[in-house]
Amino acid sequence: MSSTINQDIASSISSARINKEKRFQIYGVAALLFAMIMLVTLFITIFSKGLSAFIQTKVNLDIELTQEVIDPEGSRDLNVLKQANYQKLIDDSLKLYALNLFDKDEKELIKNLRMILSPIAYLELRNLVIDNQDFIGKTKKVSFIASDDIDQYFKGKIDMSIPEDDRKITDIQEKFLDDLQSKGQINKVFNKTLFTKSDSREAELSGVLGAVIGSFYSLLIAGLLSIPIGIGAAIYLQEFAKKNRITDFIEININNLAAVPSIVFGLLGLAIFLNMFLMPRSAPLVGGMVLALMTLPKIIIPARAAILAVPESIKQGALALGASHMQSIMHHVLPLAMPAILTGIIIGLAQALGETAPLLMIGMIAFIPDTPLYITDPATALPVQIFMWADNPERAFVERTSAAIIILLFFLIAMNSIAIYLRQKFERKW
Amino acid sequence: MTDTGIVNISSFNKLKKSKNIKIKAIIKNLSVFYSDKCAVDNVSMNINAREVTAMIGPSGCGKSTFIRCLNRMNDVIENCTVKGSILIDGYDIYHPKIDEVKLRSQIGMVFQKPNPFPKSIYDNVAYGPRLHGIATKKNDLDNIVEESLTKAGLFKEVKDRLNDTAIGLSGGQQQRLCIARTISISPSIILMDEPCSALDPIATAVIEELIENLKKSYTILIVTHNMQQAARVSEKTAFFHLGKLIEFGDTKTIFTNPREKQTLGYITGRYG
Amino acid sequence: MYVVIAILLFSFYGFYLGKKKSANLVSNKVSELHSTPIYHGYYIFLWCFVPSLIVLISWQVLDNYLIKSLVLNLVPGFETLDKGNINFVFEKIKTMATQETIDPFFYDEQLIPASKKYNWLTKISNITLFTVILSFLAIVLVYVKNKIQAEFTARVYVEKFIKTILFMCSVVAIFTTLGIVLSLLLESLRFFQSVSIFDFLFGTHWSPQIAIREDQVGSSGAFGSVPVLAGTLLITLIAMTVSVPVGLFSAIYLSDYAPRKVRTIMKPLLEILAGIPTVVYGFFAALTIGPFLRKFGESMGLDIVSESALAAGLVMGIMIIPFISSLSDDVINAVPQELKDGSYALGATKSETMVRVILPAALPGIIGSILLAVSRAIGETMIVVMAAGMSARLTANPFEAVTTVTVQIVTLLVGDQEFDNPKTLAAFALGLQLFLLTLFLNLFALKIVQKYREKYE
């Protein structure tokens, strides 16, 4: 008898149903797999393109720092030193190196070879001489930043098989560079420029410092405004607000604002902050204010949930001891809800850090080679810098863009890790 | 005090604790409504000083709501309206000029589930005195904490770990800590809302013993669904049913010779 | 500066006074007081600090306007100056008045009387402000001090003040919405003065660029928003076709099928996808996906442009996957276990339970999340700015380049400061369109989700 029952059970789940079940599961795995492949592709793309930007090619040249060119009278006057023709020294050095390689028209040749150094090579040399005045009259090995094309060439990113007219490196440059390399005068170092300089038209001279500071100021303003206002609003709505129309209206507003496209906040900033209140354009102050408005609902919603999660009994215990409603919140509810509120704040601010569109609207998209000092100085922000660099067709900027993205992701991951740490450390089960 | 027993509230600051008062509280025609629902229906009774008064009745009969009127904890709940009057030491506690926050510092309350603050044992007891500025010096505060914990019969067990978190205590200890917290600000009345319902029998016995000791200096109102407990600890018992006060009198009389049929039905376990 | 110091000094003194006096009243037996001494301190502090701060700020604002108008009246030929010049002249006067410069850039003989007047006015204004605030503070101290009594309910007042502040915090949300609506509406109205609303809503030709050359014939440009909107919807549709099935199946798999380990690893990974800034997705779309699709199309014999709607839509879809999966996950988990148990008890398989029981029960919630995702896709800016095209083309072909509302807003506004030109104003009209579209979607979706939650809570 028992065998027939078993057969019954076995046949009751038909193979069609089993297949359907399996198919369903496969869909799920495929969906996840698709998402993960995209995530991995994205990261691989960014990192494969961007990591090389953290390395910079340097060209080391022996330069004869002749007294006649730098300081013919030997006065060591700073103005004289500043105005000397350092380009000539570099040219002379290049000529020396090229002497036994080429037999070309000199002017054309030098023009060609100058291009391997960055346009500020003479400034690098000038600063070196001013800082080390005893070098004058001697021959010194000086390390110059290579121009972006040369940098790309040594990173193997320039295809030398295409015709000379179509590529960035001329045959002369190639021959010259290969000669320098064989003499050991090309080396690769960690790219400090990327972190110590701001934007520049020349890829090899551009860095993210200005953008990072702009982002920092914007985020600071956004945090200073949105954190107290957000927590205050959450306390009011969760603890004091009576159920009435105004409260409902506020709630609908907050929920909706959380889903309003960020660019609309940018339009608000443009029309109200810039055109009505005449605040400075491109300033992190305004950027921060716009980001604060955008972040506010993203702080309020989790903060309310955190306050709600604190058990009523604790508040009642305080009330029964003669604490006022406000005291019971400030002494007990808020401190207990704080870790969860902080998590919400950090996640909200991390989103604000990655936000680009509203900042474009208030003009934080401008070529700003200076590092901003005050919150009212024109500045850009890290994501906007990425956007601007991404628009740049030069190869070297693709590399920089990816590097800037890596830096941005680093900040985001750091912030989110703090949030996750807080969440896990202070997670409470009531 | 005037003829009506109402004292001018402008002098309200601290309820009296003098030994010669007999009647601590006079409740007159008290009704409580949640929105339209009547939770307590026209209740009147007098509470004697330094006695334990027990409130019994089936769940949902309004006994908890009733004692929450005495420290105006119901004010916190939206849509809750209270009618009638409660005089404590002659003060009309629902008078608009009475600050319910100040009132609650005079009338302590212990809850059904122990609700210590997630802080150290010391901070739990010290919170009230700090809040009301009763003790400002560390020394005074230490004394109050020790005294309150001793009165609550907890000091010996926790004296070596006053700075440990209160969450680590057992349920019974937590409830005694809550009692210590309550008496730390020397209230004039202590309200207990089923204080033993979350505890095991041994912890319950400890608490009952504690109540016995406390009634020498405090007026205690206790809500319980455990009739034996009411019989053991109280002098007076009030039986509530569907928001109405059915019977109120000496505990002995209620349990041996109740006037009302409903009371008899409840204490003999016919319903509840 | 001195004013600020004075206010702070008085306020802190007030705090001390309140604390001290109330404690002395009851000879340090604090329990006799209604409120603890510190609240009496706060009470006086707030009375000193808040009103004087309000006076100070409003004074600064008014005083700036007043002085500016008075001073500028002394400038010869003032009436002929335009707005930008007025500000420049005023900056000049200020520099001359404050820094004795002879830099010709700032110095102007004609402005000497104005700069002298400026100096005089600021001096007068500062002295008056100082006297006003100081006398106010003194009066407050004397008057409020008398209020401190044992019965005085200082705590109640202080808490009322804090409560008001908290209320104001929550009203910021209303003001933000109001600000958005007003700024979009006012600028759009100005736009509709030059371009008819009918043309904007139903016109099928969008080429605002012409409007730059104002002196030319036909300078008004063409502002028919239909192709822009169509492009937005096309990209949104593509994004949804990618994200809805992937997101939904991920959620289903993670909530009902995946082993615990997979779940704990995959959920944070999906969250990473959600945390990546959109500008990064845009870069990814423009640099990798766009060219990849073009090459792929070439090999298949299809003509896919680099900035195709497909590339932008696909990447946007990837961005939205975690959004849909986490919302659906919540919704699916909110379906009561009893419902599932009932189905299993009848011998249904997991997938049958999912399709016949859980999904129908969770449908309103899922639709709500999808609508929220649609609203997000419509408003997404950076991906389309970087990966989609500029030209407004009315097409349903995903291989062609289309433009979107957000792309147009960015192109119209970035770098352009002239506000009287229909080209810039058009951006606000588009913004209004975008805001209203997403507003209705959001409100509708939030309502559905809320109803759904109430059903199971």
Side-chain angles (χ1 to χ4, degrees), chain A residues 210-231:
Chain A
V212 167
I213 290 179
S215 269
F216 173 75
Y217 282 162
S218 304
L219 214 56
L220 190 73
I221 302 287
L224 285 179
L225 289 174
S226 63
I227 294 173
I229 296 180
I231 296 179

Side-chain angles (χ1 to χ4, degrees), chain A residues 17 21 24 31-32 36 38-39 45 49 229 232 236 250 253 256 259 267-268 271 275 324 327 356 405 412, chain C residues 39 159 167 170 177 179-180 183 246 253 257 266 273 277 283 287-288 318 347 349-352 413 419 439 442:
Chain A
R17 285 177 76 198
E21 179 76 18
F24 206 71
L32 270 180
M36 286 308 118
M38 284 304 165
L39 181 67
T45 314
K49 291 215 159 74
I229 296 180
Y236 182 80
I250 293 175
N253 262 300
N256 177 53
L267 289 173
L268 163 86
N275 289 333
S324 66
Q327 285 168 329
T356 320
I405 289 176
L412 290 178
Chain C
Y39 281 100
E159 284 179 352
F167 174 69
S170 62
T177 310
I180 290 175
S183 57
V246 175
Y253 180 75
Y257 287 90
M266 290 314 260
L273 217 48
F283 182 68
L287 196 78
T288 312
I318 297 170
T349 62
K350 268 187 179 177
S351 64
E352 284 161 353
L413 284 183
F419 240 76
L439 178 75
N442 294 342

Side-chain angles (χ1 to χ4, degrees), chain A residues 9-24:
Chain A
I9 291 174
S11 60
S12 73
I13 301 177
S14 67
S15 61
R17 285 177 76 198
I18 293 174
N19 281 342
K20 212 177 138 199
E21 179 76 18
K22 269 193 185 149
R23 216 161 45 230
F24 206 71

Side-chain angles (χ1 to χ4, degrees), chain C residues 80-364:
Chain C
T80 58
L81 291 172
D82 69 24
K83 210 176 150 193
N85 270 333
I86 285 180
N87 282 330
F88 177 62
V89 167
F90 188 61
E91 282 306 313
K92 261 181 162 177
I93 294 172
K94 258 161 96 176
T95 328
M96 282 171 66
T98 48
Q99 318 173 348
E100 301 216 357
T101 177
I102 46 161
D103 184 341
F105 185 72
F106 289 114
Y107 193 75
D108 190 342
E109 290 269 327
Q110 286 187 318
L111 297 179
I112 289 180
S115 79
K116 278 191 177 145
K117 176 116 182 182
Y118 176 85
N119 256 341
W120 186 73
L121 282 174
T122 30
K123 213 177 261 171
I124 292 279
S125 149
N126 281 343
I127 293 171
T128 328
L129 175 67
F130 199 70
T131 343
V132 166
I133 287 195
L134 225 55
S135 38
F136 166 78
L137 287 171
I139 292 170
V140 163
L141 277 190
V142 173
Y143 176 72
V144 177
K145 198 183 139 192
N146 285 335
K147 276 186 124 175
I148 305 293
Q149 297 297 336
E151 306 293 327
F152 179 60
T153 53
R155 194 201 66 241
V156 177
Y157 288 106
V158 171
E159 284 179 352
K160 251 185 204 158
F161 175 80
I162 299 176
K163 215 171 129 179
T164 316
I165 298 275
L166 293 181
F167 174 69
M168 272 148 60
C169 286
S170 62
V171 174
V172 170
I174 294 185
F175 278 107
T176 310
T177 310
L178 204 68
I180 290 175
V181 172
L182 276 186
S183 57
L184 293 180
L185 208 60
L186 292 182
E187 304 296 346
S188 300
L189 285 179
R190 278 172 68 192
F191 173 70
F192 291 132
Q193 279 167 3
S194 50
V195 176
S196 99
I197 187 162
F198 186 81
D199 287 348
F200 176 73
L201 285 180
F202 303 108
T204 54
H205 190 58
W206 177 268
S207 53
Q209 274 70 17
I210 310 166
I212 298 170
R213 298 171 293 177
E214 280 183 54
D215 49 323
Q216 289 193 345
V217 195
S219 67
S220 60
F223 292 101
S225 66
V226 172
V228 182
L229 210 57
T232 310
L233 294 181
L234 177 64
I235 290 185
T236 305
L237 188 72
I238 298 169
M240 285 306 156
T241 343
V242 174
S243 61
V244 171
V246 175
L248 206 55
F249 271 108
S250 305
I252 291 171
Y253 180 75
L254 284 180
S255 68
D256 267 37
Y257 287 90
R260 248 184 77 89
K261 244 188 180 168
V262 175
R263 203 180 143 87
T264 47
I265 296 171
M266 290 314 260
K267 276 198 131 182
L269 281 179
L270 279 178
E271 272 178 46
I272 290 182
L273 217 48
I276 293 174
T278 53
V279 68
V280 178
Y281 280 112
F283 182 68
F284 180 59
L287 196 78
T288 312
I289 300 292
F292 170 77
L293 285 178
R294 198 192 59 219
K295 272 182 207 152
F296 182 74
E298 270 168 18
S299 69
M300 302 285 285
L302 286 169
D303 188 23
I304 305 179
V305 296
S306 269
E307 301 195 316
S308 65
L310 187 61
L314 184 67
V315 174
M316 199 189 277
I318 297 170
M319 182 197 85
I320 292 174
I321 290 171
F323 192 73
I324 292 202
S325 79
S326 80
L327 279 175
S328 317
D329 194 34
D330 291 347
V331 175
I332 289 172
N333 281 331
V335 174
Q337 186 65 35
E338 301 90 76
L339 230 71
K340 300 181 201 171
D341 288 347
S343 170
Y344 291 136
L346 289 173
T349 62
K350 268 187 179 177
S351 64
E352 284 161 353
T353 308
M354 185 56 78
V355 173
R356 303 227 176 111
V357 178
I358 300 178
L359 287 186
L363 196 63

Side-chain angles (χ1 to χ4, degrees), chain A residues 71-139:
Chain A
D71 188 13
E73 281 151 31
S75 64
R76 297 292 189 265
D77 181 11
L78 209 59
N79 274 332
V80 176
L81 292 183
K82 268 187 186 164
Q83 278 157 18
N85 187 355
Y86 292 99
Q87 189 64 54
K88 184 181 178 321
L89 295 177
I90 297 173
D91 290 351
D92 288 347
S93 165
L94 287 170
K95 251 183 258 173
L96 218 63
Y97 281 104
L99 209 59
N100 39 20
L101 280 176
F102 309 104
D103 46 326
K104 263 205 166 181
D105 171 33
E106 208 173 69
K107 251 194 182 158
E108 186 62 27
L109 180 67
I110 289 300
K111 220 172 143 191
N112 215 323
L113 293 185
R114 266 184 191 174
M115 301 293 278
I116 68 166
L117 302 181
S118 81
I120 60 148
Y122 75 97
L123 286 175
E124 287 183 273
L125 186 60
R126 186 185 85 179
N127 292 341
L128 181 85
V129 170
I130 289 175
D131 289 345
N132 306 283
Q133 297 190 0
D134 54 316
F135 283 7
I136 297 175
K138 294 174 190 158
T139 299

Side-chain angles (χ1 to χ4, degrees), chain B residues 41-54:
Chain B
D41 190 2
N42 203 15
V43 170
S44 300
M45 63 156 92
N46 291 354
I47 309 280
N48 286 351
R50 288 175 305 285
E51 266 186 17
V52 178
T53 308

